[in-house]
């Protein structure tokens, strides 16, 4: 992060475009070139990509258990697809070129249609040359509403990302720079959060939905001016809310919080040079009506309970610079294989419980994402831990996950540092 180049941080509040409420009719996303104010007001605007005229795209809101249709129109001059990250949907709606669909060509429209089974915080993004298209702005929040929403005064989306920009706000488009690909990935020199509203009152109880929509950056975030609890990770409710401390979000990860506002709410990224302000929610008056009450858990998920694993596979991350073990014929690999091979990494019977040991044999952290499913991280004690769709594995570390593969189809399994995925760190599994 070159803070000298962009000393002014994101204190100018930008508000996300208004939500598109899922009515019986179809939602619409048009992928197109947009001009967005990312740097503080007064600095240059950024020519980039987005949806419906803005970056990030509109917040899509839909109801759990109800079919939603989304027309995606391609207003770009190249192909695209959209992936609904974290939604356990039908395979042919997953938005992955080659594996689940053909590209949407320029001028064409594809209707995606699915029934979201889980209430929570998700997001959507381009899944075609996504290390470029998502970095250029093809990202947006997706909220599946709770059957019974928690008792809060505001429900606020906080989308985090970073961009590599010149002083004038224009993007530095070195997405495929080899040095970046072999290290931490294409990374921004300016970061900020987009909030769905700018003000709260002190005394309000607020739900915050943080989404890391950056292509490669891990965000360590502290939130000041509140007390509260973590209530969900990656769109899945925690059985017991957890006291709020520093949050670490790998690319694509989400966290939901319920907090009580005491004053201006600051969102700061921890950097080696100190805190870097991503956004702030200012207070406008006081809420004197709210009685203090404990924060209760959100309605639980209904993921299938894992049985005894019938397969135990190992997924070894390899490659990259700085002494990673090498294998495969691209920069990065899983188990000596770069990119999508003819054969899947795993073949599972529908409903099978599988344990996967993820070994990070590289010098960089990786956030590994499985499509179409959520899985349990296995804790140090061997017990089932958090439910996630993306798990962060530090350099040199390993992590076991347990997943019930109950969703038929061909599913991608890849590093969500999108430069690493482009550099070869992706594979797939099949569920019959
Ligand atoms: Cu967020 Cu393969 O995707
Ligand atoms: Cu990676």
């Amino acid at each position: 992060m070159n803070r000298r180049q962009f000393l002014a941080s994101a204190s100018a509040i930008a508000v996300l475009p208004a939500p598109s409420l899922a009515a019986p009719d179809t939602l619409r996303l048009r992928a197109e070139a947009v001009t967005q104010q990312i740097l503080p007001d007064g600095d240059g605007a950024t020519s980039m990509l987005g949806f419906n005229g803005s970056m990030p795209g509109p917040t899509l809101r839909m109801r759990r258990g109800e079919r939603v249709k989304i027309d995606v129109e391609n207003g770009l001059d190249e192909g695209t697809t959209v992936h609904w990250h974290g939604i356990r949907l039908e395979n042919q709606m997953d938005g992955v070129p080659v594996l689940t669909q053909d590209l949407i060509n320029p001028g064409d429209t594809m209707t995606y249609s699915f029934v979201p089974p889980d209430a929570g915080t998700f997001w959507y993004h381009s899944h075609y040359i996504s290390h470029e298209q998502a970095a250029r702005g093809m990202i947006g929040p997706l909220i599946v509403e709770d059957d019974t929403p928690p008792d809060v005064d505001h429900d606020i989306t906080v989308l985090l990302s970073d961009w590599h920009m010149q002083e004038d706000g224009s993007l530095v488009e070195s997405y495929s720079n080899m040095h970046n690909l072999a290290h931490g990935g294409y990374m921004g020199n300016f970061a900020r959060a987009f909030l769905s509203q700018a003000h709260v009152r002190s005394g309000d109880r607020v739900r915050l939905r943080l989404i890391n929509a950056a292509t490669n950056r891990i965000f360590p975030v502290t939130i000041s001016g509140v007390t509260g609890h973590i209530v969900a990770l990656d769109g899945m409710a925690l059985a017991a809310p957890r006291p709020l401390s520093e949050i670490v979000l790998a690319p694509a990860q989400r966290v939901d919080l319920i907090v009580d506002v005491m004053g201006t709410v600051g969102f700061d990224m921890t950097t080696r040079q100190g805190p870097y302000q991503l956004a702030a929610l200012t207070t406008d008056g006081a809420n004197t009506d709210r009685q203090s009450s404990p924060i209760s858990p959100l309605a639980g998920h209904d993921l299938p309970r894992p049985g005894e694993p019938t397969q135990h596979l190992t997924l070894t991350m390899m490659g990259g610079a700085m002494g990673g073990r090498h294998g495969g014929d691209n920069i990065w690999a899983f188990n000596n294989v770069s990119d999508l091979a003819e054969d899947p990494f795993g073949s599972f019977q529908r409903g099978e419980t599988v344990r996967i040991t993820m070994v990070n044999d590289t010098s960089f952290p990786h956030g590994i994402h499985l499509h179409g499913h959520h899985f349990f991280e296995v804790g140090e004690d061997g017990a089932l831990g958090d439910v996630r769709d993306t798990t962060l594995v530090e350099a040199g570390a390993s992590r076991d996950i347990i997943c019930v593969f109950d969703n038929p189809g061909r599913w991608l399994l890849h590093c969500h540092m999108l430069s690493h995925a482009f550099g070869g760190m992706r594979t797939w599994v099949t569920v019959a």
Side-chain angles (χ1 to χ4, degrees):
M1 176 89 29
N2 181 345
R3 297 185 76 215
R4 244 171 319 157
Q5 194 176 359
F6 290 110
L7 246 188
S9 68
S11 44
I13 303 300
V15 173
L16 285 165
S20 308
L21 240 256
D25 37 46
T26 305
L27 299 173
R28 194 166 183 80
L29 287 178
R30 179 181 155 87
E32 58 193 4
V34 304
T35 302
Q36 186 73 43
Q37 190 67 42
I38 294 176
L39 293 176
D41 285 341
D43 286 344
T46 304
S47 296
M48 55 196 318
L49 303 182
F51 293 97
N52 302 5
S54 74
M55 192 302 307
T59 300
L60 300 182
R61 283 193 169 258
M62 50 192 73
R63 294 192 181 85
R64 199 188 68 80
E66 288 181 18
R67 182 162 295 276
V68 62
K69 290 200 165 95
I70 309 164
D71 282 343
V72 175
E73 183 188 344
N74 184 356
L76 310 175
D77 54 15
E78 61 188 8
T80 197
T81 66
V82 175
H83 172 57
W84 319 96
H85 184 111
I87 306 278
R88 300 185 293 136
L89 41 54
E90 299 98 294
N91 190 241
Q92 67 278 14
M93 295 296 144
D94 199 37
V96 179
V98 183
L99 220 50
T100 72
Q101 69 164 92
D102 295 329
L103 286 183
I104 310 169
N105 288 315
D108 286 357
T109 296
M110 172 173 169
T111 303
Y112 290 88
S113 166
F114 54 87
V115 180
D118 307 299
T121 303
F122 301 90
W123 65 298
Y124 59 92
H125 61 84
S126 158
H127 214 297
Y128 172 62
I129 48 171
S130 57
H131 72 295
E132 270 186 47
Q133 288 191 346
R136 293 173 74 192
M138 291 181 66
I139 55 178
L142 191 164
I143 308 295
V144 183
E145 303 200 353
D146 297 81
D147 298 350
T148 315
D151 172 27
V152 294
D153 301 299
H154 301 283
D155 181 332
I156 301 177
T157 303
V158 183
L159 183 138
L160 314 170
S161 196
D162 67 347
W163 301 268
H164 192 177
M165 288 186 288
Q166 315 268 15
E167 299 267 2
D168 65 0
S170 58
L171 288 177
V172 179
E173 312 219 50
S174 52
Y175 307 114
S176 302
N177 172 289
M178 285 298 268
H179 183 270
N180 290 341
L181 291 183
H183 289 76
Y186 175 85
M187 201 88 65
N189 57 358
F190 183 83
R192 67 173 297 170
F194 283 81
L195 307 176
S196 56
Q197 68 182 65
H199 309 289
V200 289
R201 293 166 301 176
S202 65
D204 275 344
R205 177 162 284 188
V206 178
R207 178 180 189 159
L208 298 172
R209 303 172 181 267
L210 275 66
I211 302 168
N212 181 354
T215 44
N216 292 286
R217 178 177 296 280
I218 299 170
F219 277 97
V221 186
T222 53
I223 304 176
S224 55
V226 298
T227 56
H229 285 75
I230 298 176
V231 294
L233 295 171
D234 289 0
M236 293 290 184
L238 294 177
R242 217 170 268 173
L244 176 58
S245 54
E246 189 188 64
I247 292 164
V248 176
L249 287 178
Q253 289 186 323
R254 289 89 65 209
V255 63
D256 283 50
L257 314 168
I258 295 181
V259 298
D260 293 322
V261 175
M262 301 179 304
T264 299
V265 184
F267 298 87
D268 287 337
M269 168 167 60
T270 310
T271 73
R272 262 179 256 124
Q273 294 79 25
Y276 179 102
Q277 191 185 33
L278 297 167
L281 260 173
T282 52
T283 48
D284 194 1
N287 178 353
T288 49
D289 298 335
R290 181 162 280 281
Q291 310 291 327
S292 85
S293 63
I295 290 168
S296 35
L298 300 173
H301 57 75
D302 56 3
L303 282 186
R305 235 15 233 180
E308 255 321 293
T310 43
Q311 297 194 46
H312 185 171
L313 305 179
T314 300
L315 185 76
T316 304
M317 299 158 227
M318 306 167 74
M322 297 168 64
R325 170 149 62 113
H326 274 272
D329 47 21
N330 202 338
I331 299 169
W332 300 95
F334 284 132
N335 298 357
N336 290 306
V337 180
S338 296
D339 301 300
L340 292 195
E342 201 60 41
D343 294 327
F345 159 70
S347 299
F348 311 125
Q349 290 305 312
R350 187 173 184 181
E352 195 171 350
T353 297
V354 177
R355 184 180 187 111
I356 301 176
T357 299
M358 298 181 173
V359 180
N360 185 345
D361 223 337
T362 79
S363 302
F364 296 86
H366 302 285
I368 306 297
H369 172 48
L370 172 65
H371 282 223
H373 299 79
H374 273 66
F375 51 79
F376 293 83
E377 293 180 339
V378 178
E380 308 258 288
D381 55 356
L384 294 182
D386 292 336
V387 174
R388 306 218 70 133
D389 60 44
T390 304
T391 186
L392 179 60
V393 189
E394 296 294 344
S398 70
R399 156 146 309 119
D400 280 31
I401 65 159
I402 287 183
C403 184
V404 180
F405 284 92
D406 64 341
N407 198 355
R410 311 198 304 163
W411 302 105
L412 219 53
L413 173 62
H414 66 94
C415 181
H416 218 291
M417 276 79 170
L418 296 177
S419 300
H420 295 169
F422 174 72
M425 198 181 276
R426 55 204 166 94
T427 185
W428 62 292
V429 301
T430 170
V431 181

